[in-house]
Amino acid sequence: MFQAVWVSSSESWALREPHCHCDGQQTTLKCRFVRAIIQRPRLRHDSKGMGRARMLRKIQICLCFFFVSGILYEISLLSSCFFSYEPMSKHLLTPEQVLNLGKSIIFLETTERLEPTPLVSCSVESAARIYQDRPVILFMKGLTKDRVLDTNSSYTAFSLLSSMKNVFIFPLQMENIFQETPLLQWYQQVVPEQEKNWVHVSSDASRLALIWKYGGIYMDTDVISIRPIPEESFLAAQKSKFSSNGIFGFPAHHKFVWDCMENFVLKYNGNIWGNQGPFLMTRMLKALCSLTDFKGTEDHSCQNISFLNPQRFYPIPYPAWRRYYKVWEKSPSFNHSYALHLWNFMNRNRKSVVAGSNTLAENLYKTYCPTTYKDLVQNVGPRAF
């Protein structure tokens, strides 16, 4: 990268030439260009010569400014600044480039479905609104290199999400994700067609690998974000002494996540639902600490991991999931919650948000994912997703 260094003489300031790596007599175009704009002119002992020298120095400084500005602009495309640019610029970025920015919010779709449901769209949109300075990524198994969709897609929800400045939609390529993790050998040996719970198991594995490699927060696609999560290393308690894996966050290369991947392979049993998911997280957490019941709304701590109170994400427990689709006399404030898990696994898509129903779910859509509500609920009416 070009670097300009100011050096002083007894009466003047000038730019010192940076090191250019050139082989033999062959000088690269970049080196010649850099030398041309920062080479210090030879001063003459006359007033006209001195004037020309001063003018040349001013020109050099201006050229250096524009040159450095151009480089900074290119760098900004790979920083959080790109969220202010047009969405089309996102198509030039790879998953690794976006994930390497750190602190991503990650969602997974491990079915072949290409049209996100309104609930999936709401989950992604709400996260994009709450975490405006962070990339929000939806990985979709149905996408491939040969099957690229964009903002002009005929899939309404896909176009809606693609148009959001900090939302990225990438193909889910599991073998690439599992590289350099304990999960790769398992993935190469498992036969998906013979797995009873493959959609869930493959999702359980993918979220662990992505968070271990890149860090950030993983969320299920039925989680509506309502305020930022202040913790960096955390698990979400579904109830006392039991952890979910529907929401969790860690910095990259955290030992707990690596240990979870090793245990995933060692204790693998795809016939037991949740064995590689919430039961895995719970048994690994219990191996570190003695868990106790929650009292009130306090959080617990296990070594360097925050074990967050069920009120943070599960104020409505799974046996009462239908309450999200009921009309409340007074809508709850959820003052102690960071996000709400709508238990779509229990719902199995039987109940949906209907415009004008005044249910709790409809009011959540209006507040936290208004674009999804307007485009996929209010203006569409009943529709099969």
Side-chain angles (χ1 to χ4, degrees), residues 7 39 68 105 109 150 183 186 195 220 265 274 285 293 338 343 383:
V7 297
Q39 185 177 6
V68 174
I105 312 298
E109 176 57 74
D150 55 25
L183 298 169
W186 160 80
E195 291 292 322
D220 278 350
V265 177
L285 190 62
D293 290 333
Y338 302 134
W343 304 108
R383 179 179 176 185

Side-chain angles (χ1 to χ4, degrees), residues 275-293:
N275 188 63
Q276 272 48 63
F279 293 109
L280 166 66
M281 293 294 199
T282 301
R283 64 178 175 261
M284 296 304 294
L285 190 62
K286 286 182 176 180
L288 290 179
C289 301
S290 177
L291 303 182
T292 59
D293 290 333

Side-chain angles (χ1 to χ4, degrees), residues 20-285:
C20 289
H21 301 285
C22 311
D23 299 327
Q25 301 297 322
Q26 188 68 26
T27 305
T28 65
L29 179 61
K30 182 177 180 181
C31 289
R32 291 198 299 270
F33 178 68
V34 170
R35 283 182 176 137
I37 67 172
I38 69 172
Q39 185 177 6
R40 186 176 181 179
R42 183 179 300 172
L43 301 180
R44 298 180 180 179
H45 299 288
D46 61 80
S47 59
K48 292 183 178 180
M50 292 295 291
R52 284 195 297 270
R54 285 193 294 269
M55 180 62 70
L56 284 173
R57 281 199 297 272
K58 292 179 180 179
I59 294 173
Q60 292 163 5
I61 292 172
C62 291
L63 288 173
C64 286
F65 173 78
F66 289 118
F67 184 68
V68 174
S69 296
I71 292 176
L72 292 176
Y73 173 80
E74 292 182 6
I75 293 173
S76 70
L77 293 176
L78 295 179
S79 72
S80 59
C81 296
F82 62 63
F83 296 149
S84 64
Y85 301 142
E86 290 299 317
M88 288 301 292
S89 65
K90 300 189 303 183
H91 297 170
L92 303 175
L93 299 171
T94 66
E96 290 75 17
Q97 287 173 325
V98 177
L99 287 162
N100 281 329
L101 295 172
K103 297 187 176 180
S104 298
I105 312 298
I106 297 173
F107 295 90
L108 296 174
E109 176 57 74
T110 51
T111 71
E112 298 291 338
R113 181 169 50 201
L114 285 173
E115 173 71 329
T117 67
L119 181 53
V120 173
S121 180
C122 184
S123 297
V124 176
E125 180 187 346
S126 65
R129 290 177 179 274
I130 295 298
Y131 303 95
Q132 295 184 24
D133 60 338
R134 302 172 69 164
V136 177
I137 307 173
L138 172 61
F139 286 98
M140 300 183 71
K141 185 174 181 292
L143 286 182
T144 64
K145 291 181 179 180
D146 301 323
R147 196 175 193 181
V148 178
L149 303 178
D150 55 25
T151 54
N152 296 320
S153 168
S154 59
Y155 296 112
T156 305
F158 194 101
S159 299
L160 182 158
L161 295 176
S162 297
S163 67
M164 297 179 185
K165 293 180 179 179
N166 62 328
V167 172
F168 299 82
I169 304 178
F170 292 122
L172 177 61
Q173 299 173 323
M174 293 185 191
E175 186 154 359
N176 290 342
I177 291 173
F178 296 146
Q179 294 292 329
E180 300 177 355
T181 76
L183 298 169
L184 180 61
Q185 185 176 5
W186 160 80
Y187 179 74
Q188 292 173 337
Q189 295 176 348
V190 73
V191 181
E193 294 77 14
Q194 298 177 1
E195 291 292 322
K196 179 181 178 181
N197 298 297
W198 179 246
V199 169
H200 303 286
V201 168
S202 59
S203 178
D204 293 335
S206 297
R207 68 189 72 175
L208 288 172
L210 285 166
I211 295 299
W212 183 80
K213 281 187 169 184
Y214 303 104
I217 296 174
Y218 168 82
M219 294 185 183
D220 278 350
T221 52
D222 56 351
V223 172
I224 298 178
S225 297
I226 61 177
R227 57 179 56 90
I229 301 169
E231 307 290 340
E232 184 177 21
S233 301
F234 72 89
L235 294 173
Q238 184 173 315
K239 59 182 180 179
S240 288
K241 303 181 183 179
F242 188 81
S243 175
S244 79
N245 75 329
I247 312 163
F248 64 93
F250 288 93
H253 301 152
H254 195 284
K255 184 178 183 301
F256 179 81
V257 184
W258 180 269
D259 292 342
C260 284
M261 291 190 292
E262 289 188 326
N263 191 272
F264 182 106
V265 177
L266 182 65
K267 302 289 186 179
Y268 182 74
N269 187 338
N271 292 322
I272 301 176
W273 187 92
N275 188 63
Q276 272 48 63
F279 293 109
L280 166 66
M281 293 294 199
T282 301
R283 64 178 175 261
M284 296 304 294
L285 190 62

